[in-house]
Amino acid sequence: MKPILIGIDRDGTLIENDGEFPGSKWPNETAKLMPDVVEGLHILKKLPNVALIMVTNQSGPARGKVTLEQTNAFNAHVNDLLKKQGVGLQGIYSCEHAPPTYAERYVKAGAFIDTTYIKVCPDWKPSIGLLEKAARDCFGKTLQECDVYMIGDRHTDPETGINAGGKGVFIESAG
């Protein structure tokens, strides 16, 4: 039986997304877990040979909204909340490198962009770089040697799973 790698998006999937940059007020804020996420993760954790991981695009550093350190600390905080519920994730995989086309949209609207973080990156979803790293880290295997799933509330989330040769699961976000 192949190992099962399940990537789960952060904002709007694991935690509520109010449109602000989660972590921008860190440590004076906390994440709110999405309804039923703990119950869902408990079910998934019962699968044999499974790794549950966070896979998230985080443009906050590129847009000057948060630092990379704040982003990493907030990701760890989300996992700490999950650990307190007995459903901590095996890994956190985050990409802060926004593609040039993404950045152009915000520059046209007058937003600040830190060009340090603007580049085409194999980790930015729907690319599969973060899932490839997770398969190596969690199982010492390639994506082809795993059953891969990617869950999230944006079209790029299930697309990432499909691009990885696996399945994509789209959820409608309430947050």
Side-chain angles (χ1 to χ4, degrees):
M1 176 196 257
K2 287 182 171 183
I4 302 168
L5 180 66
I6 301 176
I8 308 164
D9 181 51
R10 188 185 83 180
D11 303 329
T13 306
L14 289 171
I15 63 169
E16 292 181 6
N17 186 1
D18 63 5
E20 294 295 318
F21 276 88
S24 62
K25 300 174 191 106
W26 180 257
N28 299 318
E29 71 177 336
T30 189
K32 292 183 181 173
L33 296 176
M34 290 291 288
D36 302 321
V37 76
V38 171
E39 293 82 359
L41 293 175
H42 274 296
I43 291 167
L44 293 174
K45 279 193 162 282
K46 291 178 183 175
L47 295 170
N49 205 17
V50 67
L52 304 177
I53 59 166
M54 180 192 303
V55 180
T56 183
N57 289 345
Q58 291 299 318
S59 66
R63 294 177 57 194
K65 301 291 185 180
V66 293
T67 65
L68 181 57
E69 292 77 18
Q70 285 173 304
T71 298
N72 291 337
F74 193 74
N75 286 341
H77 170 65
V78 170
N79 200 25
D80 287 343
L81 290 175
L82 294 168
K83 286 177 184 176
K84 287 178 184 173
Q85 299 295 319
V87 291
L89 305 173
Q90 283 84 344
I92 299 171
Y93 297 85
S94 180
C95 181
E96 70 283 350
H97 298 114
T101 54
Y102 180 94
E104 288 170 14
R105 180 173 74 202
Y106 289 99
V107 169
K108 286 180 184 175
F112 167 81
I113 295 293
D114 181 344
T115 57
T116 306
Y117 295 102
I118 305 303
K119 71 177 193 172
V120 174
C121 181
D123 293 342
W124 185 266
K125 294 181 296 181
S127 294
I128 63 172
L130 294 176
L131 290 175
E132 289 174 325
K133 290 175 185 174
R136 280 192 308 272
D137 293 349
C138 295
F139 301 115
K141 299 199 177 280
T142 67
L143 285 178
Q144 296 75 25
E145 296 173 293
C146 300
D147 283 329
V148 178
Y149 297 85
M150 184 65 211
I151 303 169
D153 67 324
R154 294 184 181 236
H155 71 89
T156 52
D157 297 315
E159 190 178 330
T160 303
I162 293 165
N163 290 344
K167 305 265 191 243
V169 178
F170 178 81
I171 61 161
E172 192 165 336
S173 178

